[in-house]
Amino acid sequence: LEKFPVRVIDSRVFGVARMAIKELAQKSQALAAINGGFFLPDYRPLGLLIIDGRETNPLRQTDWGIFLIQDNRPRIIHTKEFQNEGTISQALQVGPRLVVNGRELRLKKQLAKRSAVGITFKNQIILLNSEDTDVYAQDLARIFHLPESEGGLECRDALTLDGGPSAQMYAEYKSLKIDLPGGWPVPNGIGVFKPLP
């Protein structure tokens, strides 16, 4: 985060209910973006959204997690832990959580295309998309949990984002180019922005 700010991005800012993540990234001027939270059939978001310190969608009392930026530090917490004391700049509620305090959680055996966000022990944020492959959430939890020496991402915490046809990722920065379209447009996501001067 010291180099690349991370923000929640919302298609409603541009006067529409949904966009492909590539279009939302480009309109937001994000270098990279991944789809975000769950939504209703009319594309209204389900769960908490805080964008640049302003709550744009309320907290949903459910057994999900919340990815947030507080005092310029990334965190993933359980819904019941959430307290907004005015120091949270970004938040996105979704779930389930995959890794909690370095511990891999046990999850339902269900195959799907996946998107997820993880936070390493060094407070680096990892955005992940399974591309065209369906994966078990448990396998994703293991990848986020395992140390780098064993082929993992060594994350302290990790959280699934909306999966299936919603799962999509886009990045364009220097030589990095990623365009993994989803099956339909989404209302929000997580964006990575230009380095701070």
Side-chain angles (χ1 to χ4, degrees), residues 58-90:
L59 184 74
R60 184 177 171 90
Q61 293 301 335
T62 187
D63 187 24
W64 293 350
I66 301 171
F67 167 78
L68 58 85
I69 308 289
Q70 184 173 27
D71 297 323
N72 207 37
R73 183 173 165 255
R75 296 176 62 207
I76 293 172
I77 62 171
H78 191 277
T79 296
K80 65 185 175 206
E81 297 173 61
F82 179 75
Q83 291 181 333
N84 191 355
E85 298 152 356
T87 57
I88 296 172
S89 61
Q90 313 294 323

Side-chain angles (χ1 to χ4, degrees), residues 16-77:
V16 294
R18 64 195 188 276
M19 283 187 211
I21 207 65
K22 176 179 181 176
E23 184 184 4
L24 185 52
Q26 291 171 334
K27 284 195 177 285
S28 302
Q29 298 183 328
L31 302 173
I34 194 166
N35 65 287
F38 301 125
F39 50 91
L40 295 164
D42 65 359
Y43 293 93
R44 282 183 297 140
L46 269 176
L48 178 70
L49 286 180
I50 295 176
I51 302 171
D52 300 334
R54 189 172 69 85
E55 185 178 303
T56 61
N57 214 68
L59 184 74
R60 184 177 171 90
Q61 293 301 335
T62 187
D63 187 24
W64 293 350
I66 301 171
F67 167 78
L68 58 85
I69 308 289
Q70 184 173 27
D71 297 323
N72 207 37
R73 183 173 165 255
R75 296 176 62 207
I76 293 172
I77 62 171

